[in-house]
Protein backbone atom coordinates (compact mmCIF):
# COMPACT_ATOMS: atom_id res chain seq x y z
CA UNK A 1 0.00 0.00 0.00
CA UNK A 2 2.85 2.38 0.84
CA UNK A 3 4.33 1.86 -2.64
CA UNK A 4 0.96 2.65 -4.25
CA UNK A 5 0.71 5.84 -2.23
CA UNK A 6 4.30 6.61 -3.23
CA UNK A 7 3.22 6.56 -6.88
CA UNK A 8 0.56 9.15 -6.12
CA UNK A 9 3.13 11.40 -4.43
CA UNK A 10 5.03 11.53 -7.72
CA UNK A 11 2.66 14.33 -8.75
CA UNK A 12 3.76 16.45 -5.79
CA UNK A 13 7.23 16.75 -7.36
CA UNK A 14 7.94 19.04 -10.35
CA UNK A 15 9.95 16.50 -12.40
CA UNK A 16 7.04 15.19 -14.46
CA UNK A 17 5.73 18.65 -15.28
CA UNK A 18 9.17 19.83 -16.38
CA UNK A 19 9.54 16.79 -18.67
CA UNK A 20 6.11 17.25 -20.28
CA UNK A 21 6.67 20.97 -20.75
CA UNK A 22 10.09 20.36 -22.29
CA UNK A 23 8.94 17.71 -24.77
CA UNK A 24 5.91 19.81 -25.82
CA UNK A 25 8.15 22.85 -26.39
CA UNK A 26 10.88 20.98 -28.28
CA UNK A 27 8.51 18.95 -30.47
CA UNK A 28 6.52 22.07 -31.43
CA UNK A 29 9.75 23.90 -32.28
CA UNK A 30 11.01 20.92 -34.33
CA UNK A 31 7.79 20.54 -36.30
CA UNK A 32 7.82 24.25 -37.15
CA UNK A 33 11.38 23.89 -38.47
CA UNK A 34 10.46 20.76 -40.46
CA UNK A 35 7.52 22.47 -42.13
CA UNK A 36 9.69 25.47 -42.98
CA UNK A 37 12.56 23.36 -44.38
CA UNK A 38 10.73 20.45 -46.04
CA UNK A 39 7.16 21.69 -46.53
CA UNK A 40 5.84 18.90 -44.31
CA UNK A 41 6.05 17.49 -40.82
CA UNK A 42 8.59 14.66 -40.81
CA UNK A 43 8.21 13.25 -37.30
CA UNK A 44 5.18 13.19 -35.02
CA UNK A 45 4.84 15.17 -31.83
CA UNK A 46 6.65 13.81 -28.78
CA UNK A 47 9.03 11.74 -30.94
CA UNK A 48 11.80 12.98 -28.63
CA UNK A 49 10.85 10.38 -26.02
CA UNK A 50 9.64 7.67 -28.35
CA UNK A 51 11.37 4.32 -27.78
CA UNK A 52 12.86 5.30 -24.41
CA UNK A 53 10.30 3.78 -22.07
CA UNK A 54 11.58 0.20 -21.81
CA UNK A 55 15.16 1.27 -21.08
CA UNK A 56 14.01 3.94 -18.64
CA UNK A 57 11.71 1.54 -16.79
CA UNK A 58 14.45 -1.09 -16.48
CA UNK A 59 16.82 1.53 -15.13
CA UNK A 60 14.17 2.71 -12.67
CA UNK A 61 13.62 -0.80 -11.34
CA UNK A 62 17.37 -1.20 -10.82
CA UNK A 63 17.58 2.13 -9.02
CA UNK A 64 14.58 1.27 -6.83
CA UNK A 65 16.05 -2.06 -5.74
CA UNK A 66 19.51 -0.58 -5.14
CA UNK A 67 18.14 2.46 -3.32
CA UNK A 68 15.54 0.85 -1.08
CA UNK A 69 17.53 -2.32 -0.34
CA UNK A 70 20.75 -0.38 0.14
CA UNK A 71 19.12 2.19 2.40
CA UNK A 72 19.96 5.15 0.20
CA UNK A 73 17.86 8.07 1.45
CA UNK A 74 16.98 11.16 -0.57
CA UNK A 75 15.56 14.03 1.45
CA UNK A 76 12.63 16.04 0.16
CA UNK A 77 14.73 19.27 0.08
CA UNK A 78 17.31 17.43 -2.04
CA UNK A 79 14.67 16.35 -4.54
CA UNK A 80 13.37 19.91 -4.75
CA UNK A 81 16.93 21.17 -5.28
CA UNK A 82 17.49 18.66 -8.10
CA UNK A 83 14.19 19.70 -9.68
CA UNK A 84 15.24 23.35 -9.41
CA UNK A 85 18.51 22.59 -11.21
CA UNK A 86 16.57 20.67 -13.86
CA UNK A 87 14.25 23.62 -14.38
CA UNK A 88 17.23 25.95 -14.61
CA UNK A 89 18.98 23.92 -17.33
CA UNK A 90 15.66 23.51 -19.18
CA UNK A 91 15.66 27.25 -19.83
CA UNK A 92 18.54 26.71 -22.27
CA UNK A 93 16.20 24.73 -24.53
CA UNK A 94 18.86 22.05 -25.04
CA UNK A 95 18.60 18.48 -23.81
CA UNK A 96 22.39 18.32 -23.57
CA UNK A 97 22.16 19.81 -20.09
CA UNK A 98 19.65 17.17 -18.96
CA UNK A 99 22.39 14.56 -18.63
CA UNK A 100 22.60 13.29 -15.05
CA UNK A 101 26.26 14.35 -15.08
CA UNK A 102 25.17 17.98 -15.27
CA UNK A 103 21.93 18.00 -13.25
CA UNK A 104 23.34 15.93 -10.38
CA UNK A 105 26.82 17.45 -10.73
CA UNK A 106 25.45 20.99 -10.39
CA UNK A 107 23.34 19.80 -7.44
CA UNK A 108 26.47 18.44 -5.75
CA UNK A 109 28.24 21.76 -6.29
CA UNK A 110 25.32 23.56 -4.63
CA UNK A 111 25.68 21.26 -1.62
CA UNK A 112 29.39 22.08 -1.40
CA UNK A 113 28.78 25.84 -1.20
CA UNK A 114 26.04 25.63 1.46
CA UNK A 115 28.49 25.94 4.40
CA UNK A 116 29.60 29.31 2.98
CA UNK A 117 26.11 30.84 2.99
CA UNK A 118 25.39 33.76 5.38
CA UNK A 119 24.84 32.74 9.00
CA UNK A 120 21.13 33.67 9.08
CA UNK A 121 20.49 31.23 6.23
CA UNK A 122 22.04 28.36 8.15
CA UNK A 123 19.12 28.31 10.59
CA UNK A 124 16.61 27.11 8.00
CA UNK A 125 15.74 23.42 8.50
CA UNK A 126 15.98 22.70 4.77
CA UNK A 127 19.53 24.09 4.66
CA UNK A 128 20.51 21.90 7.60
CA UNK A 129 18.98 18.86 5.91
CA UNK A 130 20.85 19.56 2.67
CA UNK A 131 24.14 20.00 4.52
CA UNK A 132 23.72 16.53 6.00
CA UNK A 133 23.20 14.96 2.56
CA UNK A 134 25.95 12.45 1.71
CA UNK A 135 27.30 12.76 -1.82
CA UNK A 136 27.38 8.96 -2.18
CA UNK A 137 23.63 8.85 -2.81
CA UNK A 138 24.00 11.38 -5.61
CA UNK A 139 26.91 9.47 -7.17
CA UNK A 140 24.92 6.21 -7.17
CA UNK A 141 22.13 7.98 -9.08
CA UNK A 142 24.65 9.50 -11.47
CA UNK A 143 26.37 6.21 -12.31
CA UNK A 144 23.14 4.27 -12.96
CA UNK A 145 21.61 7.09 -14.98
CA UNK A 146 24.78 7.45 -17.04
CA UNK A 147 24.49 3.76 -17.94
CA UNK A 148 20.91 4.48 -18.99
CA UNK A 149 22.12 7.35 -21.16
CA UNK A 150 24.68 5.12 -22.86
CA UNK A 151 22.08 2.42 -23.59
CA UNK A 152 19.70 4.95 -25.13
CA UNK A 153 22.52 6.15 -27.38
CA UNK A 154 23.53 2.62 -28.36
CA UNK A 155 19.91 1.79 -29.25
CA UNK A 156 19.62 4.79 -31.58
CA UNK A 157 18.60 3.79 -35.11
CA UNK A 158 18.70 5.86 -38.32
CA UNK A 159 15.01 6.66 -37.84
CA UNK A 160 15.53 8.10 -34.33
CA UNK A 161 17.35 11.30 -35.33
CA UNK A 162 15.81 14.37 -36.92
CA UNK A 163 16.93 15.68 -40.35
CA UNK A 164 17.78 19.33 -40.87
CA UNK A 165 18.81 21.33 -43.90
CA UNK A 166 21.37 24.12 -43.72
CA UNK A 167 23.93 26.02 -45.81
CA UNK A 168 27.56 24.86 -45.80
CA UNK A 169 30.70 26.97 -45.77
CA UNK A 170 30.62 27.39 -49.57
CA UNK A 171 26.98 28.41 -49.62
CA UNK A 172 25.78 25.00 -50.85
CA UNK A 173 22.93 23.08 -49.23
CA UNK A 174 24.00 20.30 -46.88
CA UNK A 175 22.11 18.08 -44.48
CA UNK A 176 22.60 17.27 -40.83
CA UNK A 177 20.85 15.18 -38.20
CA UNK A 178 20.02 16.26 -34.67
CA UNK A 179 19.68 13.57 -32.05
CA UNK A 180 17.33 14.38 -29.19
CA UNK A 181 16.33 11.85 -26.53
CA UNK A 182 14.30 12.63 -23.43
CA UNK A 183 13.48 9.86 -20.98
CA UNK A 184 11.63 9.69 -17.68
CA UNK A 185 13.30 7.21 -15.32
CA UNK A 186 10.83 6.37 -12.51
CA UNK A 187 12.30 4.96 -9.31
CA UNK A 188 11.19 4.59 -5.69
CA UNK A 189 13.21 6.49 -3.10
CA UNK A 190 13.22 6.59 0.68
CA UNK A 191 12.59 9.97 2.33
CA UNK A 192 13.39 10.53 6.03
CA UNK A 193 10.18 10.92 8.00
CA UNK A 194 11.54 13.75 10.12
CA UNK A 195 12.08 15.86 7.01
CA UNK A 196 8.55 15.20 5.75
CA UNK A 197 6.34 15.67 8.81
CA UNK A 198 6.95 19.43 9.38
CA UNK A 199 5.34 20.40 6.05
CA UNK A 200 3.36 17.25 5.10
CA UNK A 201 1.88 15.65 8.20
CA UNK A 202 -0.51 13.66 6.00
CA UNK A 203 2.44 11.79 4.40
CA UNK A 204 2.25 8.05 5.38
CA UNK A 205 5.45 6.64 6.86
CA UNK A 206 6.99 3.19 7.28
CA UNK A 207 9.44 2.04 9.93
CA UNK A 208 12.85 0.57 9.00
CA UNK A 209 15.37 -0.22 11.74
CA UNK A 210 13.50 1.90 14.25
CA UNK A 211 13.46 4.97 11.96
CA UNK A 212 10.51 6.29 9.98
CA UNK A 213 10.68 6.83 6.21
CA UNK A 214 8.33 7.88 3.46
CA UNK A 215 8.39 6.36 -0.03
CA UNK A 216 8.00 8.43 -3.17
CA UNK A 217 8.18 7.61 -6.86
CA UNK A 218 10.68 10.01 -8.45
CA UNK A 219 10.18 10.52 -12.22
CA UNK A 220 13.77 11.58 -12.91
CA UNK A 221 14.22 13.43 -16.21
CA UNK A 222 17.15 12.37 -18.39
CA UNK A 223 18.04 13.95 -21.72
CA UNK A 224 20.73 14.15 -24.35
CA UNK A 225 21.27 16.05 -27.60
CA UNK A 226 23.91 15.83 -30.32
CA UNK A 227 24.40 17.13 -33.85
CA UNK A 228 25.73 14.98 -36.70
CA UNK A 229 27.00 16.41 -39.97
CA UNK A 230 30.26 14.70 -41.01
CA UNK A 231 29.26 11.04 -40.48
CA UNK A 232 26.19 8.83 -40.49
CA UNK A 233 23.83 9.51 -37.54
CA UNK A 234 23.82 5.87 -36.40
CA UNK A 235 27.63 5.62 -36.40
CA UNK A 236 27.98 8.85 -34.44
CA UNK A 237 25.32 7.88 -31.91
CA UNK A 238 26.80 4.48 -31.20
CA UNK A 239 30.31 5.92 -30.87
CA UNK A 240 29.11 8.43 -28.30
CA UNK A 241 27.17 5.62 -26.60
CA UNK A 242 30.23 3.37 -26.29
CA UNK A 243 32.33 6.17 -24.84
CA UNK A 244 29.53 7.09 -22.42
CA UNK A 245 29.31 3.45 -21.31
CA UNK A 246 33.04 3.41 -20.53
CA UNK A 247 32.66 6.64 -18.57
CA UNK A 248 29.77 5.09 -16.63
CA UNK A 249 31.94 2.07 -15.74
CA UNK A 250 34.68 4.38 -14.42
CA UNK A 251 32.18 6.43 -12.42
CA UNK A 252 30.60 3.27 -10.97
CA UNK A 253 34.01 2.03 -9.80
CA UNK A 254 34.71 5.38 -8.13
CA UNK A 255 31.24 5.35 -6.59
CA UNK A 256 31.85 1.94 -5.03
CA UNK A 257 35.14 3.26 -3.67
CA UNK A 258 33.37 6.30 -2.18
CA UNK A 259 31.50 4.04 0.25
CA UNK A 260 34.88 3.19 1.79
CA UNK A 261 36.55 6.57 1.26
CA UNK A 262 33.92 9.32 1.13
CA UNK A 263 36.08 12.05 -0.51
CA UNK A 264 36.00 9.92 -3.68
CA UNK A 265 32.38 11.02 -4.11
CA UNK A 266 33.60 14.50 -5.02
CA UNK A 267 35.98 12.93 -7.55
CA UNK A 268 33.00 11.13 -9.11
CA UNK A 269 31.29 14.46 -9.79
CA UNK A 270 34.44 16.00 -11.27
CA UNK A 271 35.30 12.94 -13.38
CA UNK A 272 31.71 12.73 -14.65
CA UNK A 273 31.64 16.31 -15.90
CA UNK A 274 35.15 16.10 -17.41
CA UNK A 275 34.41 12.76 -19.12
CA UNK A 276 31.18 14.11 -20.58
CA UNK A 277 32.96 17.16 -21.99
CA UNK A 278 35.77 15.01 -23.46
CA UNK A 279 33.26 12.66 -25.11
CA UNK A 280 31.47 15.46 -26.92
CA UNK A 281 34.70 17.31 -27.71
CA UNK A 282 35.87 14.12 -29.43
CA UNK A 283 32.56 13.91 -31.27
CA UNK A 284 32.92 17.46 -32.58
CA UNK A 285 36.47 16.65 -33.70
CA UNK A 286 35.20 13.64 -35.68
CA UNK A 287 32.64 15.94 -37.30
CA UNK A 288 35.37 18.14 -38.79
CA UNK A 289 35.23 16.54 -42.23
CA UNK A 290 33.31 16.68 -45.51
CA UNK A 291 29.54 16.76 -44.83
CA UNK A 292 28.03 13.28 -44.99
CA UNK A 293 24.70 14.59 -46.33
CA UNK A 294 25.67 16.52 -49.45
CA UNK A 295 25.25 16.36 -53.21
CA UNK A 296 26.76 13.26 -54.82
CA UNK A 297 27.67 12.83 -58.53
CA UNK A 298 26.38 9.23 -58.65
CA UNK A 299 22.96 9.69 -57.10
CA UNK A 300 20.76 11.55 -54.64
CA UNK A 301 21.40 11.22 -50.91
CA UNK A 302 18.48 10.44 -48.59
CA UNK A 303 18.41 13.02 -45.80
CA UNK A 304 15.33 11.73 -43.99
CA UNK A 305 12.50 9.22 -44.16
CA UNK A 306 9.01 10.06 -42.91
CA UNK A 307 7.87 7.33 -40.47
CA UNK A 308 5.15 4.96 -41.75
CA UNK A 309 5.54 6.31 -45.30
CA UNK A 310 6.08 4.24 -48.44
CA UNK A 311 9.86 4.78 -48.17
CA UNK A 312 9.85 3.56 -44.57
CA UNK A 313 7.89 0.45 -45.59
CA UNK A 314 10.43 -0.20 -48.36
CA UNK A 315 13.25 -0.08 -45.80
CA UNK A 316 15.00 3.00 -47.14
CA UNK A 317 17.40 4.54 -44.60
CA UNK A 318 18.75 8.09 -44.16
CA UNK A 319 22.26 8.29 -45.58
CA UNK A 320 21.69 5.82 -48.42
CA UNK A 321 22.29 6.92 -52.00
CA UNK A 322 19.49 6.46 -54.55
CA UNK A 323 21.12 5.64 -57.91
CA UNK A 324 18.28 4.41 -60.15
CA UNK A 325 14.48 4.36 -60.21
CA UNK A 326 13.18 1.61 -62.53
CA UNK A 327 16.62 1.55 -64.20
CA UNK A 328 16.49 5.33 -64.80
CA UNK A 329 19.64 7.02 -63.40
CA UNK A 330 18.88 9.89 -61.02
CA UNK A 331 21.39 12.55 -60.01
CA UNK A 332 19.13 15.12 -58.38
CA UNK A 333 15.89 15.36 -56.48
CA UNK A 334 14.10 16.70 -59.58
CA UNK A 335 15.23 13.69 -61.63
CA UNK A 336 14.05 11.38 -58.86
CA UNK A 337 10.65 13.03 -58.85
CA UNK A 338 10.33 12.84 -62.64
CA UNK A 339 11.38 9.17 -62.65
CA UNK A 340 8.67 8.36 -60.13
CA UNK A 341 6.05 10.09 -62.28
CA UNK A 342 7.08 7.96 -65.29
CA UNK A 343 7.11 4.58 -63.54
CA UNK A 344 3.37 4.07 -63.36
CA UNK A 345 2.04 2.00 -60.47
CA UNK A 346 5.30 0.35 -59.47
CA UNK A 347 8.71 1.55 -58.29
CA UNK A 348 11.96 -0.39 -58.18
CA UNK A 349 14.78 1.60 -56.60
CA UNK A 350 18.50 0.84 -56.57
CA UNK A 351 20.28 2.26 -53.54
CA UNK A 352 23.86 2.19 -52.27
CA UNK A 353 24.28 1.88 -48.51
CA UNK A 354 26.95 3.35 -46.24
CA UNK A 355 29.25 0.37 -46.85
CA UNK A 356 29.13 0.88 -50.63
CA UNK A 357 26.93 -2.17 -51.26
CA UNK A 358 24.05 -1.90 -53.73
CA UNK A 359 20.59 -3.29 -53.09
CA UNK A 360 17.12 -3.07 -54.61
CA UNK A 361 13.80 -2.18 -52.97
CA UNK A 362 10.44 -2.18 -54.69
CA UNK A 363 6.81 -1.43 -53.98
CA UNK A 364 3.50 -0.77 -55.69
CA UNK A 365 2.47 2.89 -55.76
CA UNK A 366 -0.94 4.23 -54.75
CA UNK A 367 -2.68 7.57 -55.11
CA UNK A 368 -2.56 8.09 -51.34
CA UNK A 369 1.25 7.80 -51.24
CA UNK A 370 3.46 10.79 -50.50
CA UNK A 371 4.54 12.46 -53.75
CA UNK A 372 8.16 11.41 -53.10
CA UNK A 373 7.40 8.21 -51.19
CA UNK A 374 8.04 10.05 -47.91
CA UNK A 375 11.67 10.97 -48.58
CA UNK A 376 13.37 14.29 -47.92
CA UNK A 377 16.63 15.27 -49.63
CA UNK A 378 19.47 17.69 -49.08
CA UNK A 379 18.63 20.19 -51.82
CA UNK A 380 15.20 21.87 -51.64
CA UNK A 381 13.13 21.18 -54.77
CA UNK A 382 11.22 24.00 -56.44
CA UNK A 383 7.87 22.29 -55.79
CA UNK A 384 8.49 21.34 -52.15
CA UNK A 385 6.79 24.43 -50.72
CA UNK A 386 3.68 23.97 -52.84
CA UNK A 387 3.06 20.26 -52.38
CA UNK A 388 2.17 19.02 -48.91
CA UNK A 389 2.22 15.69 -47.22
CA UNK A 390 -1.50 15.08 -47.41
Amino acid sequence: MEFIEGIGRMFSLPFLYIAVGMVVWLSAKRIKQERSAFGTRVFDRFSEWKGTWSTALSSGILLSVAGVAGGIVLSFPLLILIAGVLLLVSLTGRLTWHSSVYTLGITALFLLVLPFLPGEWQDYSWIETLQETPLTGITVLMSVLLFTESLLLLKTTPSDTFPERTKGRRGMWIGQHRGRRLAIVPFFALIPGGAVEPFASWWPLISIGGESFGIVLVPFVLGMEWLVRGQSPETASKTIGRHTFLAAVLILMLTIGSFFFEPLALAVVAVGIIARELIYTGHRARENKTPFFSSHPQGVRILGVIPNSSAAQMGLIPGELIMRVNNIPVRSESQFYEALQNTGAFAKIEVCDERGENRYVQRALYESDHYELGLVFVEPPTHETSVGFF
Side-chain angles (χ1 to χ4, degrees), residues 45-205:
R45 296 183 185 275
F46 314 133
S47 293
E48 283 75 6
W49 64 19
K50 181 181 179 181
T52 65
W53 296 101
S54 60
T55 302
L57 183 59
S58 300
S59 176
I61 293 174
L62 178 60
L63 268 177
S64 300
V65 173
V68 176
I72 297 176
V73 179
L74 303 178
S75 66
F76 196 83
L78 177 62
L79 293 175
I80 295 300
L81 176 59
I82 296 173
V85 172
L86 183 64
L87 179 60
L88 182 65
V89 299
S90 296
L91 297 179
T92 65
R94 298 182 59 191
L95 290 181
T96 301
W97 294 100
H98 285 66
S99 170
S100 62
V101 166
Y102 294 128
T103 54
L104 295 177
I106 295 173
T107 300
L109 294 178
F110 269 115
L111 296 179
L112 291 175
V113 302
L114 287 180
F116 303 98
L117 293 177
E120 60 271 16
W121 291 25
Q122 304 288 342
D123 297 331
Y124 288 102
S125 60
W126 277 36
I127 298 296
E128 294 179 0
T129 301
L130 288 173
Q131 287 181 343
E132 297 171 355
T133 301
L135 289 182
T136 51
I138 294 178
T139 58
V140 169
L141 285 177
M142 182 185 295
S143 58
V144 175
L145 292 171
L146 198 58
F147 274 113
T148 306
E149 185 176 332
S150 68
L151 292 176
L152 289 173
L153 285 163
L154 290 170
K155 289 176 61 178
T156 300
T157 66
S159 60
D160 291 330
T161 54
F162 309 118
E164 298 177 354
R165 182 186 288 150
T166 185
K167 287 287 186 72
R169 296 177 181 177
R170 300 180 180 179
M172 303 294 291
W173 287 107
I174 61 173
Q176 62 187 23
H177 271 239
R178 188 175 300 275
R180 280 200 186 116
R181 307 290 277 168
L182 187 144
I184 297 177
V185 182
F187 65 93
F188 286 100
L190 294 175
I191 299 180
V196 175
E197 292 170 340
F199 60 88
S201 57
W202 45 268
W203 203 295
L205 304 174

Side-chain angles (χ1 to χ4, degrees), residues 324-329 339 342-344 346-350 361-362:
R324 291 180 178 83
V325 177
N326 282 8
N327 292 324
I328 301 175
N342 297 328
T343 55
F346 190 81
K348 182 179 180 181
I349 301 176
E350 180 183 353
V361 296
Q362 53 190 9

Side-chain angles (χ1 to χ4, degrees), residues 253-270:
M253 294 173 62
L254 291 173
T255 297
I256 295 174
S258 68
F259 282 94
F260 303 97
F261 184 62
E262 193 169 344
L264 275 179
L266 182 59
V268 171
V269 176

